[in-house]
Amino acid sequence: MRYLFTAAALIAATLPASFADHCSEGSSQDALGNWYCQPVKAITYTGVGGKGSYNKITNMDSTSGKCSSFAYGYSGSMSPLDEEVSLHFRGPLRLKQFAVYTPGSSGKKARRGAHGRRHGHAHFHEHNNEVREAEAEAEEVMQEKRAVGDIVVATINGQVVSWTNQYSGQPATSAAAAAASTSTGAKTTVTSTLVQAAAQKQSSTSAAASSAAASSAAPSSAASSSSSSSSAASGSSWGQTAHYNSAQGSAKGVTFLNHMGGSGSGVFDYTFGNSLSYSSADGTKGASSAQVLSDTMLPSNVEVVIMSDKKCGDTDCGYTRPQGVSYHGFGGAKKAFFFEFSMPKDGNTGVNGDMPAIWMLNAQIPRTLQYGKAECSCWTTGCGEFDIFEVLQSGYNRCKSTLHGNVAGGDSDYFDRPTDGTIKAALILYDDNIHIKILDNSVTFGPSMSSDDISAICSSTATQSKSVSLFALAGK
C-alpha cells in the first residue's frame, strides 16, 4: 500500500488539473486521519479491473468454527466487481428509490419457462441442438447474474452434467482470461481478524487518503479511458431489472435483507453469529418472509441489504451459510444503480452513530459472513467492496468514496451529505471505470435508460469542471 500511494503521488504531479482531483485547491484532515479536499458532483475511478485472486469460501463448520476456502483467480475489466454484488444501506438514512439497469436487458426474450429459470437448469432432448442450446444456456447465465466460477447444472440428452461457469457477460476473449488463472486445489486460511464495519471501513479509507494532498492518479491515458467508456456505452438502451419506490410501497426484482438471522428467518449460532435474514418493513428486525421496506428512516447503525429477487439454489450462488437466507446479487461487468435518498442527522453518538453509508459488496461476503471471522469471508483477500457515499465520523456533513480490494484507493474529494431533502445519484460500472454522479432531481427512474443518458454520466469527467473529480488507481 505504501508503494501504491508513493508512486501515485509522483504521477499526479504530471497530470493536467482537469484530469485529477481538486486537492491542490486546499485540503483538511479530520481527527481520524481522513483527508477531505473539495466538494464535487461527480467522481470517476479509472483502472478498476485487473487480475488477481481471493479466497473463495467452500465450507463453514459451526462445530469446529473453521472455514475452508480455495484461491480463486479472476481477470477482467471490472473484476472482481463484475461478479454478483449486494447493496448496503446504513442509517440514519431514508431510501426513497432504488433502481438497477443493465445494457440491452429490456429487449431479451425468455428462452425457457419460469421453473427452469428459478432452478438454474434446463432439459434438452435433441442431440443435434446441443451446441445451440449450450449457447442459449451461456446467455442465460449472464441474464441470471451468475458469477464466474459458480457451478451450473443442466440435463443434456437425459444426462445430468455440471460445469464451472466461465461466462462473465464480457466478449469471449475476456471471459477466457477470467477463467485462466482459476485454481481449485489449494485451501487457504486467513489469520487476520475481520473487524466490525466502522473500524474496518474507517482504517482502510484513512490509509487510502493518507497522501490526499498529492492524490493517486494515473497517466493521461486514464482520461482517454473515461471518454472511451462513454462512447462505448452508446448503442442499445439499458433496461431496468429492479426497482423500489418507498412512497408507492412498490418493489420488483429486489429482496430486503438484514443481519438478524435467527429472528423469523435465517440462523444464529455462537460460532458465527447471525446469518442474513429477511428484513422487517422498518429494517430494524428480522422477518419470516420477504417484506417491502416501508417509507421510513433507518436509525443509526441499522443496516439493510438489497439483493435481487432470485433465491439461491443448491449450487448456483457458490457456497452460502447453511440455513441462512441467500439470494443472488446483481452481476455483470456493465451495470448501473440509481438512488434517491437522504441522510438526516439523528444525533446518535453510539456505535456507527450518525454515520450513514451506502456501499456495495461482493455478494459472497454477506452470504457467508460479513461480520466475524476473517477466514469465513473473502473480504480480507480482496473480493471487492466499493463505498459509494460514506460518512466517516459521527455527525459529519461529508460523504467519501473508497474502493477496497487487490486494487484499492479513495478519492479525497467528497460529496455533501444530503441532510435536508433527498438527492438522486447514479453509480455506473462500465469499461474499467466506476462513475458516481449527483443527478438533477428531475431525472426519473423509468423502465429504461437511453444510451445517451448513460454516456452523459460516464463522460462527466471528460470536461474541465470544478464539480467533477477523477481518481486513477495506480495498481496493487
Side-chain angles (χ1 to χ4, degrees):
M1 185 65 71
R2 181 180 303 170
Y3 170 79
L4 162 63
F5 289 101
T6 300
L10 296 175
I11 294 171
T14 67
L15 281 181
S18 57
F19 295 129
D21 60 27
H22 300 284
C23 292
S24 62
E25 300 169 28
S27 61
S28 61
Q29 189 177 27
D30 67 15
L32 299 175
N34 302 302
W35 283 94
Y36 300 88
C37 293
Q38 302 301 316
V40 293
K41 297 295 185 181
I43 297 175
T44 286
Y45 284 77
T46 65
V48 174
K51 181 178 180 180
S53 66
Y54 62 81
N55 293 341
K56 184 172 255 188
I57 306 305
T58 58
N59 187 60
M60 300 173 68
D61 188 336
S62 59
T63 301
S64 67
K66 295 181 179 180
C67 293
S68 303
S69 64
F70 71 95
Y72 172 77
Y74 62 82
S75 178
S77 64
M78 192 54 66
S79 295
L81 293 178
D82 56 351
E83 300 174 18
E84 291 186 355
V85 298
S86 53
L87 278 298
H88 299 245
F89 303 82
R90 186 178 71 207
L93 183 146
R94 291 183 182 273
L95 181 62
K96 303 297 290 184
Q97 287 193 84
F98 171 77
V100 183
Y101 296 84
T102 56
S105 55
S106 59
K108 298 288 184 183
K109 292 184 179 180
R111 290 186 177 268
R112 62 192 189 208
H115 177 84
R117 288 196 303 272
R118 182 167 59 249
H119 294 285
H121 64 272
H123 300 278
F124 304 117
H125 303 290
E126 299 178 78
H127 177 77
N128 292 334
N129 288 335
E130 282 188 35
V131 173
R132 185 161 59 253
E133 297 289 5
E135 291 172 349
E137 183 72 23
E139 181 174 343
E140 190 153 345
V141 165
M142 178 186 73
Q143 293 178 12
E144 292 187 1
K145 309 294 189 298
R146 288 197 186 98
V148 172
D150 284 346
I151 303 301
V152 183
V153 181
T155 303
I156 301 177
N157 283 346
Q159 294 185 348
V160 178
V161 297
S162 64
W163 65 91
T164 301
N165 175 38
Q166 308 293 0
Y167 186 75
S168 65
Q170 303 175 60
T173 53
S174 297
S181 59
T182 302
S183 170
T184 58
K187 293 184 178 180
T188 305
T189 301
V190 181
T191 57
S192 59
T193 301
L194 185 66
V195 298
Q196 292 294 326
Q200 172 194 71
K201 295 156 82 65
Q202 287 172 0
S203 61
S204 298
T205 305
S206 174
S210 61
S211 54
S215 173
S216 175
S220 56
S221 60
S224 62
S225 173
S226 178
S227 60
S228 66
S229 170
S230 64
S231 62
S234 62
S236 61
S237 63
W238 289 46
Q240 187 185 93
T241 61
H243 183 246
Y244 160 69
N245 186 309
S246 68
Q248 298 175 2
S250 63
K252 66 174 184 179
V254 298
T255 305
F256 296 95
L257 308 169
N258 59 15
H259 299 282
M260 301 286 181
S263 176
S265 56
V267 63
F268 169 83
D269 60 56
Y270 287 100
T271 304
F272 299 125
N274 302 91
S275 73
L276 283 177
S277 63
Y278 292 112
S279 172
S280 62
D282 66 0
T284 64
K285 299 178 291 294
S288 59
S289 61
Q291 310 289 316
V292 175
L293 187 67
S294 62
D295 191 6
T296 186
M297 185 179 84
L298 299 177
S300 283
N301 203 34
V302 168
E303 177 184 340
V304 167
V305 183
I306 295 183
M307 291 195 183
S308 79
D309 63 347
K310 294 184 175 67
K311 196 166 187 178
C312 291
D314 292 338
T315 59
D316 55 355
C317 288
Y319 184 82
T320 61
R321 173 90 177 266
Q323 301 179 29
V325 178
S326 299
Y327 278 77
H328 283 275
F330 305 100
K334 303 169 186 177
K335 49 199 170 193
F337 303 92
F338 285 72
F339 313 89
E340 182 181 8
F341 66 97
S342 65
M343 293 175 165
K345 295 187 176 184
D346 68 359
N348 189 301
T349 57
V351 176
N352 291 328
D354 210 356
M355 294 172 58
I358 300 175
W359 72 101
M360 177 174 68
L361 289 178
N362 189 310
Q364 296 175 68
I365 299 171
R367 288 194 301 239
T368 55
L369 193 63
Q370 185 172 335
Y371 304 115
K373 294 186 174 184
E375 65 268 26
C376 302
S377 167
C378 62
W379 190 92
T380 54
T381 55
C383 62
E385 171 181 351
F386 185 68
D387 301 320
I388 312 163
F389 298 94
E390 182 182 22
V391 174
L392 296 173
Q393 191 164 338
S394 181
Y396 262 40
N397 291 326
R398 299 169 177 177
C399 296
K400 293 287 293 292
S401 59
T402 308
L403 178 66
H404 304 266
N406 288 337
V407 176
D411 195 338
S412 288
D413 290 327
Y414 62 91
F415 298 103
D416 288 325
R417 174 181 174 178
T419 56
D420 300 317
T422 64
I423 62 170
K424 293 181 178 179
L427 170 72
I428 298 178
L429 286 74
Y430 197 100
D431 194 26
D432 203 30
N433 300 327
I434 296 178
H435 308 269
I436 319 170
K437 186 174 183 179
I438 306 300
L439 305 172
D440 188 270
N441 274 333
S442 64
V443 173
T444 58
F445 302 166
S448 65
M449 286 281 177
S450 73
S451 58
D452 289 342
D453 290 337
I454 298 296
S455 293
I457 296 172
C458 293
S459 64
S460 61
T461 57
T463 58
Q464 186 171 358
S465 171
K466 290 187 176 181
S467 67
V468 299
S469 179
L470 179 67
F471 189 92
L473 295 152
K476 295 181 182 179

